Amino acid sequence: MERTVVRCADGHVFSTASFPMQQAERLGPGRLVRCPRCARLRSAVPVTLDREAVGAVQR
């Protein structure tokens, strides 16, 4: 299963295995995902990472 790197509404960056309906462009990029840092359902959007930021992502 492919993992997606996302950023929650509080700015936490993490990877998730479940990022539903990525192909549905009409819904916009944001999805509700449980953030492991703040332990709440947050709006999250996919992010693009630089090489130095890859090590900072929590798995």
Side-chain angles (χ1 to χ4, degrees):
M1 183 178 290
E2 185 176 327
R3 298 189 68 84
T4 304
V5 179
V6 296
R7 181 183 320 272
C8 83
D10 283 346
H12 304 132
V13 177
F14 57 97
S15 65
T16 181
S18 62
F19 197 69
M21 299 177 63
Q22 291 182 24
Q23 312 306 335
E25 293 177 18
R26 64 187 173 118
L27 298 176
R31 302 289 181 268
L32 282 177
V33 178
R34 184 187 172 277
C35 175
R37 295 281 309 274
C38 48
R40 295 184 176 161
L41 279 178
R42 297 282 188 198
S43 176
V45 294
V47 296
T48 57
L49 293 176
D50 298 332
R51 285 190 161 193
E52 46 286 342
V54 172
V57 173
Q58 177 184 6
R59 290 191 182 251

